[in-house]
Amino acid sequence: MAMNSKRRQVVQAIGAATAGWMAGSWGSAHAQNKPPGELTLSLDFTVLGRHAPWYVALGKGYFKQAGLNVKIVPGQGTAQAIQALESGIAQFAFSDVVSLALARARGASSARFVAMNYQSAPYAIFSLASGANAGSPDKLTGLEVASGAGSFSPKVIQGFMKQHKLDPASIKFVNVDGSARVSMLLSKKVPAIENFIFSQVGIEKVLPPGQLTTLLLASNGLELYANGLLVKDEMIKAQPDTVRAFVKAAMQGWRDTLADPEGAATVMANYVPGLNHEVAVGEIKLLATLAQSPATQQNGLGWIDADRMKRSLDFIAQNIGITGKAPTAAELYTTEFLPKVGA
């Protein structure tokens, strides 16, 4: 399948974003001395539309109104975000439950979640309607899926298959560089790829309507907490007022973003040159499906449920494996800093 110039540009952009979150370690630029009183938030990956809530909190002055001087820096993976937190490069980090559980088990982290921003996990499998058309769990049996070396996603997908009483050994994963994954799907060199659901926005831009088949695991029974805001236990004990003020300001940014995706993308563009407004808006709309749940409707955005955290930890232990002293669910989070509903 030959790609025209516009399609090639979009595919390259999607590939660059995918490769960004698979990249290596932090460079020396992140270790520069920060101004007195400055707080740094490390994102999980390259800055994309899904990160708009943090920039809305910054751009609308919510952090400043709380007396906080906040800087947001891009990340190179959820594990690296935790490393930035532990090394003191950042005081807050946006990472996921899998990475935290594994890091705490190794004794490599003393952080916990103070907000759970992704109530549902973003793992998705994309295929073509004219190809594998893997839109339901049963279609995963015998499927070949392009993934990346070192990714947790294959084990998550296999755990998902076990939940559906499917043979996890029947699915085949092939190692494909993130920058090439989408183009290989479009050219039918692979029948399916795995990626976060946010990639759907860009892929759909280069395909005719109805040609992309998306299987979002969370919409088909996967109950797994994903990304949230991390803070070290040391800071929670030493600076609880700062943590509380940061969380309150950040959650206001999240509320505004989900209520007005267009406005959020516009605010974000002030901080991210070259941001594609249409793609950013699309990602924010998908973000809304992950960030909201019956629990957040009752308790507010960022809510963390004890039973669901335990089920998430059990899923990780059973399907990904935890080396070292496994943390308890209670060691992974606290809800004491979340704003009360209506506050």
Side-chain angles (χ1 to χ4, degrees):
M1 178 188 298
M3 288 189 288
N4 60 32
S5 177
K6 179 180 179 181
R7 173 176 290 189
R8 185 176 296 106
Q9 290 174 359
V10 174
V11 170
Q12 289 173 345
I14 299 170
T18 304
W21 62 260
M22 296 177 64
S25 60
W26 283 65
S28 60
H30 294 283
Q32 295 176 1
N33 294 329
K34 63 180 187 298
E38 182 180 80
L39 298 170
T40 298
L41 166 66
S42 170
L43 300 178
D44 52 344
F45 304 133
T46 302
V47 184
L48 299 163
R50 71 192 75 166
H51 299 114
W54 310 108
Y55 288 94
V56 169
L58 184 66
K60 288 193 172 183
Y62 295 142
F63 288 129
K64 185 176 182 180
Q65 291 166 20
L68 306 176
N69 177 18
V70 174
K71 176 183 179 181
I72 303 172
V73 298
Q76 295 180 337
T78 52
Q80 281 76 18
I82 292 176
Q83 290 173 12
L85 192 67
E86 294 300 327
S87 67
I89 292 172
Q91 291 70 50
F92 297 87
F94 188 54
S95 189
D96 69 343
V97 174
V98 174
S99 296
L100 178 63
L102 299 183
R104 287 201 73 130
R106 297 194 313 271
S109 178
S110 59
R112 67 181 65 221
F113 290 101
V114 291
M116 187 56 61
N117 303 103
Y118 290 4
Q119 295 286 305
S120 300
Y123 302 104
I125 295 174
F126 301 102
S127 57
L128 299 179
S130 59
N133 196 30
S136 59
D138 61 288
K139 293 291 187 71
L140 298 180
T141 299
L143 185 66
E144 181 180 285
V145 181
S147 183
S151 172
F152 297 136
S153 298
K155 291 184 178 180
V156 171
I157 294 168
Q158 289 177 318
F160 170 77
M161 291 179 69
K162 285 191 286 185
Q163 290 182 330
H164 284 271
K165 302 188 184 308
L166 302 170
D167 180 10
S170 68
I171 191 170
K172 179 183 178 182
F173 294 97
V174 293
N175 184 16
V176 174
D177 184 79
S179 62
R181 215 174 289 170
V182 173
S183 62
M184 289 187 70
L185 174 66
L186 297 180
S187 61
K188 297 186 177 182
K189 292 181 179 177
V190 292
I193 65 174
E194 64 84 5
N195 216 328
F196 283 178
I197 186 61
F198 305 108
S199 296
Q200 177 180 294
V201 181
I203 300 174
E204 286 184 334
K205 285 178 66 66
V206 296
L207 283 174
Q211 288 303 301
L212 181 67
T213 298
T214 301
L215 176 63
L216 176 61
L217 274 56
S219 295
N220 289 270
L222 178 67
E223 191 177 16
L224 179 66
Y225 274 142
N227 288 43
L229 182 64
L230 287 177
V231 185
K232 288 177 65 175
D233 285 341
E234 178 184 354
M235 185 169 183
I236 287 174
K237 294 176 182 177
Q239 302 180 59
D241 291 342
T242 298
V243 175
R244 183 168 287 104
F246 188 100
V247 172
K248 182 178 181 180
M251 290 301 98
Q252 184 59 57
W254 277 82
R255 286 193 291 271
D256 286 7
T257 298
L258 302 186
D260 181 13
E262 291 278 353
T266 298
V267 171
M268 190 179 183
N270 295 324
Y271 298 92
V272 188
L275 180 75
N276 184 305
H277 183 86
E278 183 181 356
V279 171
V281 170
E283 286 205 5
I284 294 168
K285 290 179 178 179
L286 287 174
L287 180 66
T289 67
L290 301 181
Q292 299 177 101
S293 68
T296 64
Q297 291 175 4
Q298 180 178 350
N299 302 292
L301 288 174
W303 181 252
I304 309 172
D305 177 79
D307 289 339
R308 182 157 188 169
M309 180 62 81
K310 185 179 184 306
R311 291 194 295 272
S312 296
L313 187 58
D314 288 345
F315 181 93
I316 294 166
Q318 294 165 11
N319 297 290
I320 296 175
I322 298 178
T323 302
K325 183 181 179 182
T328 65
E331 291 174 323
L332 298 182
Y333 77 98
T334 175
T335 59
E336 70 171 292
F337 299 103
L338 286 169
K340 304 298 182 184
V341 175

